[in-house]
Amino acid sequence: MQLPVMPPVSPMLAKAVPEIPQGEFLYEPKWDGFRSIVFRDGDEVEIGSRNERPMTRYFPELVEAVKANLPERCVIDGELVVVVGDRLEFEVLQQRIHPAVSRITMLSETTPARFVAFDLLALGDQDCTELPFAERRAMLDHALAGARPPVHLTPATRDRSLALEWFDQFEGAGLDGVVAKPLAGAYQPDKRVMFKIKHARTADCVVAGYRTYKGDEEAIGSLLLGLYTDDGALASVGVVGAFPAARRRELFAELQPLVTTFDDHPWAWAAPPEGVRTPRSSEFSRWNNGKDLSFTPLRPELVVEVRYEHMEGLRFRHTAQFNRWRPDREARSCTYAQLEEPVRYDLADILGL
């Protein structure tokens, strides 16, 4: 492979801002998938990840799609996504990363991925990274004019009012918000020169356990959060952490009166009710190389308000952020009914299918 921009390349990044900025920007939907840079030189294709590791072997169906849809020699930044029904499903995408070739082959057929392109780093013998983004985007539009699924060109607009509509509407299709890209900007690998605007909500959750901080058995590392289902089961929705160092030790002492055993705890060693995910449903995480996920159980009495972006099934998509304690709330009142559900939106309308 001989290209003007060679792998590995760290993708250009975005910093979070509270609202969609005004000015000389191009606005795009924020895709919820694996950030990837695709390198093609004839029949040679490499798919790089955000951490610069090759992803090619996990997505054989996209290698063929790249050869059929991308220019003969190019480097294109984008996102790998998996569509289930009419929305993106990140959890299904995660399952595509598997060591067994037989399973990779099976998943490439049952849950095929798509590549959504949104920036151009090289075309032919030209290194495009120093060009203004407005020029790179125009070149990308032309280069992918004939592309067909599973390769897509992301929608984009200079109309901030339309971007605001996208922010509200597209979440129902599983998208993550909006990205604002300066039209005059060069491509700067691993630099946060774009802006991302993501959804943020609050939820009142039950604190059902804790894990201690690494290297300190008398400091809180994270609190395990739960919400009650319609049938009265306490489902695990995620964790909240990122406490200041001094607060971690204070919180450990404050929680000791609530420490209990698993005998009467809703997340006992016994198998959880069918369809309810709990931390004890698997002692080890498949995504953390055997990391021990055991925890100290607490009587489910404390309620904490946390900030979250959006849900992935029954759980928070990312680690929640602490907002405040809610001594005025009864733990049993913390149900899924409080969560805001985005309006469903057909992903086909976004991708132009």
Side-chain angles (χ1 to χ4, degrees), residues 72-93:
E72 186 79 10
R73 301 180 68 247
C74 64
V75 181
I76 295 179
D77 190 0
E79 196 102 354
L80 301 184
V81 299
V82 166
V83 179
V84 177
D86 60 0
R87 62 181 288 116
L88 303 180
E89 292 293 348
F90 185 81
E91 192 167 11
V92 177
L93 177 65

Side-chain angles (χ1 to χ4, degrees), residues 75-123:
V75 181
I76 295 179
D77 190 0
E79 196 102 354
L80 301 184
V81 299
V82 166
V83 179
V84 177
D86 60 0
R87 62 181 288 116
L88 303 180
E89 292 293 348
F90 185 81
E91 192 167 11
V92 177
L93 177 65
Q94 283 184 309
Q95 295 169 9
R96 293 295 310 271
I97 309 303
H98 199 280
V101 174
S102 59
R103 185 164 178 82
I104 289 172
T105 301
M106 183 270 289
L107 291 174
S108 71
E109 297 171 354
T110 58
T111 56
R114 299 169 184 261
F115 179 66
V116 182
F118 44 63
D119 208 339
L120 181 69
L121 281 67
L123 184 62

